[in-house]
Amino acid sequence: MTDSTPRTAGAPIGACCPPIVTAALSERDAEIMAAMFKALADPVRLRLLSRVASHPNGEACVCDIADVGVSQPTVSHHLKKLREAGLLTSERRGTWVYYRPAPGVLASLGAFLADTEKRGESEVPPEAQAS
């Protein structure tokens, strides 16, 4: 079982969505981002993604990340939801499945949420002009 292309609702996810403060989202981009945020809205899923992303090898075996306070079948369910949302990819090696963050997806999420202060960088706020 190899799942190397992140997908949401059957469509591949590439570099999605400009920063939220620079452009309005298209309907399709909004669907993609909503699926990702919906998957991340669960604390167990957020912890699992964090464990995978922070693992020293850049990938983690399910055996390395399963201790999140829920049963193994529940962990598998949550990992499946993260894969379906395009946040993780997986690869079966023997009896274990290894997970890694989908290429570019964490950077895309970060860039999407980034507060790009460059929009008003050249403008001086009225309070600063008084001095």
Side-chain angles (χ1 to χ4, degrees), residues 1-113:
M1 168 173 106
T2 301
D3 182 24
S4 59
T5 305
R7 296 184 177 277
T8 299
I13 296 174
C16 170
C17 316
I20 197 166
V21 297
T22 62
L25 283 175
S26 70
E27 186 176 336
R28 181 67 186 131
D29 286 347
E31 290 171 4
I32 291 169
M33 295 306 287
M36 289 183 185
F37 286 120
K38 183 177 180 180
L40 290 174
D42 184 285
V44 172
R45 290 183 198 148
L46 194 54
R47 288 183 64 207
L48 287 168
L49 179 64
S50 172
R51 286 182 175 210
V52 171
S54 66
H55 200 272
N57 297 331
E59 66 178 8
C61 172
V62 73
C63 61
D64 295 331
I65 59 173
D67 185 21
V68 290
V70 296
S71 68
Q72 191 282 324
T74 302
V75 168
S76 293
H77 168 77
H78 287 305
L79 289 168
K80 177 183 175 187
K81 292 296 184 183
L82 290 169
R83 279 195 333 267
E84 289 173 349
L87 295 163
L88 292 178
T89 62
S90 63
E91 180 182 344
R92 180 172 294 281
R93 297 183 200 152
T95 58
W96 296 109
V97 178
Y98 288 79
Y99 294 87
R100 71 187 58 80
V105 78
L106 298 178
S108 290
L109 284 172
F112 173 71
L113 292 174

